[in-house]
């Protein structure tokens, strides 16, 4: 067990059911861990009602609590997804300012399948990140389209769903750099080489190479994008990944109803189709779906007065330019953004 470990997540009210499902899945194996949820579309007056639902053990934060002007500024040009991705670093930095020594950020759609002891024991660097894949992802397998290397290039090779930071000078430096970077470069705009926070966290192993580890554990951050290399099986009612007890599954893009599929765009063939045919995997999908539905009912009456910018991307980019004093331009004929700060 890591000493003084806090697990942080960020979401809107609409995703509180996912946050609680994640927290409860981990608490089955680690009942003494502490959790914090930054809910980005509530005000301080709305916290007690959520706190009543989740219990006193889980810290509920709103953007007022973390006290950075950037959270409200970004609300004017980011949508809810972009805003949450940007706020994860602000939330971790907030915890360090309040003397937390270690913080593990997890996306709300992470689900624990077993004890995380071996994962915690592997967190030996100031910063630990997890890659989308550790091996070649072929585009076509048996004539069926798969998540492939081109997709990974598009989204960034490091996944933003599992990020560990130790409260050290280098981690704080990295967090400050990330906070500044995602304020202008955190749009969900793959055609402009932006994928919220993921291209930025993909630079951590290079910009902070002496302090960042890329975790190569097949039992952590299992998701549809790496099932070609994570061979899942069941032994004595335990899901295994490459012969090791699976620890953290990432239900990214999971939909309700899911019709027995891990992701809506999966076909009946190929890697995703083949893995979902297994009875143990169908049980996992059903278990996760039932937990989400049950938790959804608990938050049905929670108000969320704060909004985000849901206009077209071009409009939101223009708003950001005006507010931040920057300019998004393009180099030649390619759709590559050059962010230039005006003098």
């Amino acid at each position: 067990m890591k000493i003084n470990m806090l697990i942080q997540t960020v979401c809107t009210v609409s995703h509180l059911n996912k946050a609680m499902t994640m927290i409860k899945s981990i608490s089955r194996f680690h009942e003494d861990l502490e959790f914090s949820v930054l809910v980005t579309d509530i005000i301080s007056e709305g916290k007690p009602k959520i706190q009543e639902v989740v219990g006193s053990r889980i810290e509920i934060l709103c953007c007022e609590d973390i006290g950075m002007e950037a959270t409200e500024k970004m609300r004017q040009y980011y949508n809810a997804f972009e805003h949450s991705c940007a706020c994860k670093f602000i939330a971790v930095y907030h915890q360090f300012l309040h003397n937390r020594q270690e913080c593990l950020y997890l996306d709300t759609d992470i689900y624990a399948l077993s004890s995380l002891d071996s994962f915690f024991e592997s967190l030996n660097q100031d910063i630990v990140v997890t890659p989308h894949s550790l091996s070649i992802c072929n585009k076509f397998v048996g004539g069926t389209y798969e998540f492939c290397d081109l997709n990974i290039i598009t989204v960034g090779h490091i996944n933003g769903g599992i990020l560990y930071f130790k409260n050290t000078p280098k981690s704080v430096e990295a967090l400050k750099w990330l906070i500044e970077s995602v304020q202008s470069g955190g749009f969900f705009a793959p055609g402009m080489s932006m994928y919220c926070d993921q291209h930025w966290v993909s630079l951590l192993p290079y910009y902070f190479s002496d302090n960042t580890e890329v975790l190569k554990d097949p039992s952590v951050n299992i998701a549809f994008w790496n099932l070609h290399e994570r061979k899942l099986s069941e032994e004595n009612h335990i899901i295994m990944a490459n012969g090791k007890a699976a620890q953290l599954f990432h239900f990214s893009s999971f939909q309700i109803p899911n019709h027995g599929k891990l992701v809506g765009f999966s076909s009946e063939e190929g890697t995703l189709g083949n893995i979902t045919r297994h009875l143990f995997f169908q049980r996992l999908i059903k278990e996760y779906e039932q937990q989400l539905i049950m938790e959804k009912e608990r938050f049905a009456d929670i108000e969320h007065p704060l909004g985000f910018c849901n206009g077209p991307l071009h409009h939101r980019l223009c708003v950001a330019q005006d507010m931040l004093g920057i300019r998004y331009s393009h180099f030649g004929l390619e759709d590559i953004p050059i962010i230039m700060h005006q003098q």
Side-chain angles (χ1 to χ4, degrees):
M1 175 62 63
K2 302 297 287 186
I3 299 173
N4 202 23
M5 169 77 75
L6 175 78
I7 295 183
Q8 179 73 56
T9 194
V10 178
C11 67
T12 58
V13 167
S14 63
H15 283 65
L16 277 170
N17 64 321
K18 292 186 177 183
M20 282 306 301
T21 298
M22 178 269 287
I23 289 170
K24 287 185 175 180
S25 73
I26 296 173
S27 297
R28 291 181 298 179
F29 308 103
H30 302 278
E31 59 183 18
D32 296 328
L33 273 177
E34 297 181 75
F35 299 89
S36 176
V37 183
L38 170 61
V39 187
T40 57
D41 54 351
I42 64 169
I43 56 178
S44 58
E45 288 79 3
K47 288 168 53 179
K49 193 169 185 179
I50 298 176
Q51 201 75 68
E52 183 180 346
V53 175
V54 304
S56 58
R57 180 167 154 259
I58 300 169
E59 178 186 47
I60 298 298
L61 297 172
C62 65
C63 288
E64 296 172 56
D65 296 321
I66 57 180
M68 290 193 72
E69 182 184 348
T71 60
E72 296 312 304
K73 186 178 293 185
M74 292 187 296
R75 197 183 300 279
Q76 305 305 311
Y77 51 84
Y78 280 162
N79 61 32
F81 176 58
E82 295 161 344
H83 190 269
S84 290
C85 288
C87 282
K88 67 178 68 169
F89 308 113
I90 299 176
V92 173
Y93 183 65
H94 166 82
Q95 298 296 349
F96 285 177
L97 290 177
H98 288 76
N99 298 317
R100 286 287 181 178
Q101 296 306 304
E102 296 176 277
C103 193
L104 174 64
Y105 170 82
L106 296 178
D107 273 353
T108 57
D109 50 9
I110 299 291
Y111 195 68
L113 302 181
S114 66
S115 168
L116 307 183
D117 284 345
S118 66
F119 171 54
F120 290 151
E121 290 169 3
S122 70
L123 301 176
N124 297 315
Q125 261 290 13
D126 293 349
I127 303 169
V128 180
V129 298
T130 57
H132 280 103
S133 176
L134 292 165
S135 61
I136 294 172
C137 302
N138 292 315
K139 186 173 183 179
F140 292 96
V141 178
T144 302
Y145 179 80
E146 300 281 287
F147 190 89
C148 66
D149 293 333
L150 184 60
N151 298 113
I152 291 177
I153 291 172
T154 301
V155 304
H157 70 91
I158 297 298
N159 180 253
I162 300 177
L163 301 167
Y164 169 78
F165 295 91
K166 189 180 295 182
N167 192 349
T168 64
K170 275 296 180 182
S171 283
V172 170
E173 181 185 345
L175 283 168
K176 288 181 177 179
W177 170 73
L178 287 165
I179 290 169
E180 180 181 0
S181 299
V182 297
Q183 284 185 52
S184 58
F187 286 96
F188 180 74
M192 294 181 65
S193 301
M194 287 187 281
Y195 204 92
C196 299
D197 62 309
Q198 286 193 160
H199 283 296
W200 299 106
V201 296
S202 293
L203 293 172
L204 289 173
Y206 311 104
Y207 288 3
F208 299 89
S209 57
D210 292 337
N211 306 88
T212 302
E213 178 183 357
V214 178
L215 189 67
K216 300 177 181 179
D217 186 340
S219 72
V220 174
N221 213 355
I222 306 165
F224 71 83
W225 52 72
N226 55 36
L227 287 177
H228 68 287
E229 63 179 13
R230 314 286 169 102
K231 307 305 178 184
L232 301 186
S233 60
E234 185 180 40
E235 297 180 15
N236 299 320
H237 306 291
I238 298 174
I239 296 179
M240 312 293 287
N242 294 5
K244 180 180 179 180
Q247 296 183 82
L248 292 174
F249 198 95
H250 197 159
F251 276 96
S252 179
S253 301
F254 189 82
Q255 298 177 350
I256 297 177
N258 59 77
H259 305 295
K261 292 184 176 183
L262 178 59
V263 289
F265 53 79
S266 64
S267 67
E268 297 298 322
E269 306 299 329
T271 301
L272 294 178
N274 290 335
I275 189 62
T276 54
R277 289 194 183 98
H278 292 285
L279 288 178
F280 74 86
F281 204 82
Q282 281 296 315
R283 288 197 299 270
L284 174 61
I285 290 175
K286 190 65 176 178
E287 173 188 317
Y288 185 66
E289 180 183 34
Q290 289 175 343
Q291 289 296 318
L292 292 181
I293 293 172
M294 181 180 66
E295 293 295 335
K296 192 77 172 179
E297 296 175 357
R298 301 175 68 207
F299 300 102
D301 298 328
I302 303 297
E303 297 181 357
H304 45 98
L306 300 180
F308 305 93
C309 187
N310 297 313
L313 176 62
H314 175 75
H315 166 74
R316 298 189 294 113
L317 288 167
C318 290
V319 173
Q321 287 184 144
D322 293 341
M323 293 190 68
L324 301 176
I326 62 173
R327 179 168 58 88
Y328 296 94
S329 61
H330 300 91
F331 181 77
L333 298 177
E334 301 299 323
D335 205 16
I336 301 174
I338 308 297
I339 303 174
M340 301 179 62
H341 288 266
Q342 297 176 350
Q343 299 298 319

